[in-house]
């Protein structure tokens, strides 16, 4: 685990990320807040590409909780059976859709606590929805962000909660909204797990990682 980088270095890092990609976007396809919740819930232990492939057809027929309930659990399964843990995920999609209809008039709540109370929606999923749909500076720490945070010194921590707090406490406020996507994309395409692409990295000279590749 690298040591926490100081404020001036973090500011330079995120200046560079911002210059390279001023408006980073998540890669999960969705058409509204509801389909975003479903897509993120389905993405647990699955790739965004795999989820997108499954949900394109699903969201064409069920882009609201009411339509999802009409489709039913077996109908959901038919669309998402290429995704890992699809049976349990289908159950959760139907359960969360029922709660949204019964308790929220079919609308997705903008409260982290309310989102986390939905079946299949944990803190990470809630933070993704808060960030991507409502623009809140919420930090959803996945495996990419955990790796990049610890490897670079941007946000070191022994678990995802510590890394989340490190981002909130140390990254300059003006970058908080987009930190989530910058770090995910950096971890997905440059600072990859097995052999990071250090030669192509725009923050290579600022990073604390000792085993940089050529």
């Amino acid at each position: 685990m690298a040591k926490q980088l100081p404020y001036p270095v973090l500011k330079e890092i995120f200046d560079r990320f911002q210059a390279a990609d001023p408006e980073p976007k998540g890669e999960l396809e969705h058409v509204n807040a509801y389909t975003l919740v479903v897509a993120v819930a389905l993405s647990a232990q699955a790739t965004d590409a795999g989820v997108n492939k499954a949900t394109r057809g699903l969201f064409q027929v069920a882009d609201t909780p009411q339509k999802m309930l009409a489709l039913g659990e077996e109908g959901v399964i038919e669309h998402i059976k290429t995704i890992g843990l699809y049976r349990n995920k289908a159950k959760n999609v139907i359960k969360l859709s029922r709660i949204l209809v019964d308790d929220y008039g079919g609308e997705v709540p903008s409260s982290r606590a309310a989102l986390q109370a939905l079946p299949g929606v944990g803190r990470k999923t809630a933070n993704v929805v808060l960030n991507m749909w409502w623009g809140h500076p919420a930090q959803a720490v996945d495996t990419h962000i955990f790796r990049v945070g610890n490897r670079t010194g941007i946000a070191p921590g022994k678990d995802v909660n510590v890394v989340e707090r490190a981002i909130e406490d140390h990254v300059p406020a003006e970058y908080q909204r987009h930190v989530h996507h910058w770090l995910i994309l950096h971890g997905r395409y440059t600072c990859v797990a097995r052999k990071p692409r250090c030669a192509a990295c725009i923050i290579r000279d600022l990073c604390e990682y000792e085993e940089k590749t050529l």
Side-chain angles (χ1 to χ4, degrees):
M1 184 190 302
K3 64 181 181 181
Q4 176 67 58
L5 291 170
Y7 179 91
V9 177
L10 289 173
K11 179 139 189 354
E12 175 62 24
I13 283 173
F14 287 100
D15 279 345
R16 294 183 190 182
F17 281 141
Q18 185 176 61
D21 189 2
E23 291 289 331
K25 304 295 182 186
E27 296 183 326
L28 281 174
E29 296 172 6
H30 59 283
V31 297
N32 53 31
Y34 171 69
T35 54
L36 177 59
V37 171
V38 172
V40 181
L42 293 177
S43 72
Q45 299 180 46
T47 66
D48 285 2
V51 173
N52 289 339
K53 186 176 180 181
T55 57
R56 282 176 197 136
L58 175 64
F59 293 157
Q60 284 179 1
V61 296
D63 60 358
T64 68
Q66 294 89 340
K67 291 178 184 177
M68 198 69 76
L69 290 173
L71 183 63
E73 188 176 319
E74 290 303 316
V76 175
I77 286 173
E78 280 304 304
H79 284 281
I80 69 166
K81 59 187 178 183
T82 56
I83 301 174
L85 306 174
Y86 67 90
R87 290 192 181 279
N88 191 54
K89 289 177 179 179
K91 284 186 173 66
N92 284 334
V93 167
I94 293 300
K95 287 178 182 177
L96 73 83
S97 299
R98 172 55 63 194
I99 292 171
L100 291 177
V101 169
D102 290 350
D103 296 350
Y104 298 99
E107 299 296 321
V108 175
S110 59
S111 150
R112 180 186 280 119
L115 286 168
Q116 284 189 243
L118 297 173
V121 177
R123 184 177 180 86
K124 185 181 81 171
T125 298
N127 281 347
V128 171
V129 175
L130 290 171
N131 181 272
M132 288 182 65
W133 193 255
W134 283 287
H136 294 186
Q139 309 305 332
V141 179
D142 69 351
T143 55
H144 296 301
I145 293 180
F146 185 79
R147 178 177 67 255
V148 172
N150 277 290
R151 182 183 275 171
T152 63
I154 289 172
K158 65 183 186 302
D159 59 47
V160 294
N161 294 322
V162 177
V163 171
E164 181 181 334
R165 286 196 299 273
I167 293 172
E168 293 171 345
D169 290 346
H170 297 288
V171 173
E174 63 264 36
Y175 305 114
Q176 288 281 334
R177 180 180 175 187
H178 292 314
V179 170
H180 165 72
H181 286 125
W182 281 323
L183 295 186
I184 282 181
L185 295 171
H186 191 62
R188 187 171 287 163
Y189 298 111
T190 303
C191 197
V192 295
R194 292 188 179 178
K195 190 176 181 182
R197 300 176 58 237
C198 298
C201 177
I202 63 173
I203 64 165
R204 178 179 54 181
D205 57 314
L206 304 173
C207 168
E208 287 287 316
Y209 187 50
E210 294 181 353
E211 300 173 30
K212 291 185 175 72
T213 59
L214 296 176

